[in-house]
Amino acid sequence: MSVCGHGESEENSIKDGRYIEDLVEEMRFLGQARIILRNALGASELFADLADLADLQVRDGWIHIVNKKFHIHLSCADIARVRFCERHQYAHEAPTISFLADQGGPSVVLTFDQLAGAEAQEQANEVRGIARRHEDETHLVSEHTRPAM
């Protein structure tokens, strides 16, 4: 896992036999996060405890991140890579996990900058552990096929 600035990153993807479902399941235990959804027009920031989300799962080729205040649905087929950053300058030097589209720009960034002190350090250690488990992966895939549009 690397220190990331704008345009600098360590990008990893899920290798054959490991699925995005594995990564999403591990993320559930990371706790408080700022979820940034970016597109060409701008960005939306949402705040959630990943453990308390009513729905954080991969189903029918989509990642569903749902709570009472928001719903985000991400097409697994359009996620090309995942980026793990140990300290990101735009995240108050906190760790991030980014899901990137084919174009390379972040599409969804989970930023772990909502805790302080020992809790923040414990959360950063958990993110590092997830990054280590997925560091050699080469292709992000889902167990499911993308649903017909």
Side-chain angles (χ1 to χ4, degrees):
M1 197 156 82
S2 62
V3 176
C4 299
H6 189 66
E8 302 171 22
S9 67
E10 180 175 308
E11 293 176 6
N12 302 302
S13 301
I14 306 297
K15 64 181 155 189
D16 294 337
R18 296 291 305 259
Y19 299 102
I20 193 167
E21 289 86 349
D22 299 330
L23 179 57
V24 170
E25 185 59 30
E26 288 184 76
M27 289 176 6
R28 175 181 299 284
F29 302 101
L30 291 175
Q32 296 291 325
R34 180 166 50 116
I35 303 168
I36 304 165
L37 178 61
R38 293 184 178 175
N39 64 32
L41 296 175
S44 298
E45 291 185 331
L46 311 162
F47 299 88
D49 186 330
L50 299 180
D52 290 341
L53 291 177
D55 190 1
L56 174 59
Q57 62 179 301
V58 181
R59 185 180 68 248
D60 301 324
W62 292 81
I63 299 173
H64 303 276
I65 305 171
V66 178
N67 75 8
K68 291 179 182 179
K69 296 181 181 180
F70 64 82
H71 292 205
I72 298 174
H73 306 282
L74 308 172
S75 169
C76 291
D78 293 327
I79 298 171
R81 291 174 305 284
V82 63
R83 178 194 311 156
F84 300 96
C85 294
E86 183 165 342
R87 293 188 321 270
H88 198 290
Q89 66 184 20
Y90 296 111
H92 310 112
E93 298 299 319
T96 62
I97 299 174
S98 302
F99 293 95
L100 306 173
D102 281 330
Q103 300 83 356
S107 53
V108 172
V109 181
L110 286 93
T111 302
F112 301 97
D113 61 358
Q114 300 302 297
L115 300 174
E119 289 179 318
Q121 186 59 48
E122 183 177 335
Q123 185 182 53
N125 290 339
E126 291 294 327
V127 174
R128 280 187 209 99
I130 289 171
R132 278 193 303 273
R133 286 188 290 279
H134 294 276
E135 67 186 346
D136 296 326
E137 297 165 350
T138 58
H139 184 63
L140 198 81
V141 295
S142 172
E143 292 176 345
H144 305 282
T145 59
R146 185 177 180 182
M149 295 287 165

